[in-house]
Amino acid sequence: MHNQPKYIPLRETHFFKSGRSERPLVAGTVARGQLREDDLLYTGKVDGREVNEFPFPVTEAVVERGQQRFNIYCSPCHGTTGLGDGMIVRRGYRRPPSYFEARLMNAPVGHFFDVITNGFGAMPDYKAQVPVRDRWAIAAYIRALQLSEHATMQDVPPAERDKLNAQPSAPGSK
Amino acid sequence: MQIFHRSANTLSKLSIFGGLLVVGLLLLFMNAFESSGWVTTQNEIQTQPIQFSHARHVGGNGIDCRYCHTSVETSAFAGIPPTKTCMNCHSQIFNQASYLEPVRASYRTNTSLRWVRVHDLPDFVYFNHSIHVNKGVGCSTCHGRVDQMPLVVQVQSLQMQWCLNCHRHPERYVRPRADVFRMDYTPPTDQLALGRKLVAEYHIKPVADLTSCSTCHR
């Protein structure tokens, strides 16, 4: 009763040589609803060139989702501000570039999507850990981080300024 | 003629109570045995292929639960990371350590690491992680302070009566969604007031539904 003869996730099988009850997709097949026709959405490129547009409208909710996912998957190396001083870098991983370098400030947004999807330099790919729409949300949040680096009070909508002033400074920030 | 001696009266009375006592003690013993760590594997340390330390990764390095357990918000199974996830960092960090050779071997040869399951519910329980974390049940509520565990142990009994504690009184345990993955969360002093508010806000089902057999058993 406790262990029934059925497969729950990651339970071992003796039927297949690899011992895995989870089976990979048969080569050349596409699961229903998983056809990736939309190049812009799935690759961040159109005609082989990185695009500088989003495949869906970027709303406040998208940026907030991006912030949350960035803090989970990216901040260990890139740091919560994007300077490239995350905890794993302090433990010895090769330091990634800051998002505020001219090269990355000028990079099209599709570039960030492509790097998350396929990796870049020392950075591994995150396509297995971060779903497609979340990758775009993270790219949007990276853009927000880049904007905030050189933002002044004039960039903040007047209605929001009091909120900023009212907040106590977070530990470690000035 | 007297067949039994007079003292037999006392003996017979004693044996009635004695019998009840024995049955009672036996029931108590069975109950204690069933809920003991020997049966529930509570607090039992499992030998893993690698002594993976959550204390180091979560407590020391501040890695979010979801970095590795990627499907916890969207599916029944929280997800055990593939070796690729380990190699994200360990391709560079401690990449010569003999301690981590099983990880590198698993990655090179595309064979699975055989982790030993610590939290093992019976197959007739259809537990779903996503509904719990999306309704404000924190990781640490069931799994304890994993960020302080060099080796993960099961801190709760995982017995049905333990599940029902919360299914009968969700307001005593739920926390704001934003705090679900925080390991150091401590419930506020007015937990009941907050809990009742969150139960309404998150549309947590009435107790009659939460304690219905088919909620967990199908």
Side-chain angles (χ1 to χ4, degrees):
Chain A
M1 275 275 274
H2 195 285
N3 287 322
Q4 298 167 350
K6 66 178 182 186
Y7 293 119
I8 58 168
L10 300 191
R11 183 169 278 173
E12 189 180 8
T13 177
H14 297 290
F15 189 79
F16 295 102
K17 217 176 162 187
S18 66
R20 293 172 183 163
S21 54
E22 272 84 6
R23 304 310 304 160
L25 275 182
V26 175
T29 60
V30 176
R32 196 179 174 120
Q34 291 185 9
L35 184 60
R36 303 194 153 192
E37 274 184 313
D38 186 342
D39 279 353
L40 171 60
L41 179 63
Y42 289 107
T43 66
K45 293 176 188 170
V46 170
D47 301 327
R49 291 179 61 85
E50 287 165 346
V51 293
N52 204 16
E53 55 172 319
F54 287 88
F56 49 86
V58 176
T59 59
E60 194 178 342
V62 169
V63 179
E64 278 176 0
R65 172 82 180 173
Q67 178 181 35
Q68 188 199 46
R69 298 291 122 173
F70 179 91
N71 287 338
I72 298 170
Y73 297 104
C74 315
S75 72
C77 286
H78 289 280
T80 46
T81 58
L83 276 169
D85 57 349
M87 192 55 106
I88 304 303
V89 171
R90 284 179 240 170
R91 295 278 192 261
Y93 205 90
R94 194 158 101 211
R95 189 185 174 115
S98 150
Y99 292 142
F100 316 120
E101 280 181 3
R103 175 177 72 85
L104 290 176
M105 291 290 274
N106 297 322
V109 72
H111 175 69
F112 296 101
F113 180 88
D114 181 57
V115 170
I116 302 170
T117 309
N118 298 311
F120 187 94
M123 176 176 156
D125 71 83
Y126 277 79
K127 59 172 171 279
Q129 281 160 279
V130 186
V132 172
R133 283 180 172 266
D134 282 350
R135 283 177 233 157
W136 283 109
I138 290 172
Y141 182 65
I142 292 172
R143 274 285 184 258
L145 282 176
Q146 289 178 327
L147 275 177
S148 73
E149 178 66 4
H150 300 292
T152 61
M153 210 39 145
Q154 307 311 314
D155 298 322
V156 183
E160 302 286 325
R161 282 177 201 170
D162 289 342
K163 236 198 262 180
L164 267 184
N165 286 329
Q167 263 175 15
S169 59
S173 67
K174 284 185 188 144
Chain B
M1 195 173 77
Q2 198 170 14
I3 298 174
F4 294 107
H5 189 262
R6 271 177 173 277
S7 64
N9 287 344
T10 321
L11 271 178
S12 66
K13 279 178 201 153
L14 268 179
S15 66
I16 290 170
F17 289 109
L20 285 175
L21 197 71
V22 166
V23 171
L25 280 175
L26 200 68
L27 286 174
L28 275 179
F29 172 78
M30 277 162 63
N31 186 41
F33 178 76
E34 276 298 306
S35 49
S36 73
W38 201 74
V39 171
T40 63
T41 70
Q42 190 175 359
N43 296 324
E44 206 171 89
I45 291 175
Q46 311 288 344
T47 310
Q48 301 285 0
I50 296 145
Q51 294 195 17
F52 176 86
S53 166
H54 277 83
R56 177 174 284 255
H57 289 83
V58 184
N61 296 339
I63 297 172
D64 192 280
C65 310
R66 293 164 284 185
Y67 185 92
C68 300
H69 304 292
T70 52
S71 56
V72 69
E73 292 167 299
T74 50
S75 81
F77 188 51
I80 295 296
T83 309
K84 155 76 171 58
T85 305
C86 309
M87 293 305 282
N88 278 357
C89 296
H90 288 296
S91 60
Q92 292 199 18
I93 294 176
F94 295 119
N95 60 357
Q96 304 295 324
S98 57
Y99 189 72
L100 292 178
E101 179 52 30
V103 178
R104 293 191 295 270
S106 158
Y107 192 62
R108 269 198 312 272
T109 58
N110 191 24
T111 46
S112 307
L113 284 166
R114 289 157 172 266
W115 298 105
V116 178
R117 212 185 168 98
V118 175
H119 295 82
D120 189 15
L121 290 177
D123 284 359
F124 49 80
V125 180
Y126 291 80
F127 178 81
N128 189 316
H129 271 95
S130 66
I131 189 72
H132 287 87
V133 297
N134 286 311
K135 296 285 182 183
V137 180
C139 304
S140 62
T141 302
C142 304
H143 293 290
R145 290 296 300 267
V146 173
D147 63 323
Q148 296 174 351
M149 294 181 193
L151 286 174
V152 165
V153 293
Q154 172 193 325
V155 294
Q156 303 289 355
S157 73
L158 304 189
Q159 284 184 311
M160 184 168 144
Q161 58 181 355
W162 170 78
C163 299
L164 282 172
N165 279 343
C166 187
H167 277 228
R168 284 187 182 128
H169 306 284
E171 69 281 358
R172 292 183 190 168
Y173 301 95
V174 290
R175 55 172 91 168
R177 277 190 191 123
D179 294 328
V180 163
F181 295 91
R182 268 185 53 194
M183 276 289 135
D184 58 353
Y185 179 81
T186 41
T189 44
D190 59 342
Q191 168 64 35
L192 278 182
L194 173 76
R196 285 197 193 101
K197 190 177 122 262
L198 293 179
V199 165
E201 199 180 315
Y202 296 164
H203 306 292
I204 294 177
K205 295 209 168 181
V207 167
D209 288 350
L210 291 182
T211 54
S212 160
C213 306
S214 62
T215 297
C216 312
H217 307 290
R218 287 168 213 157

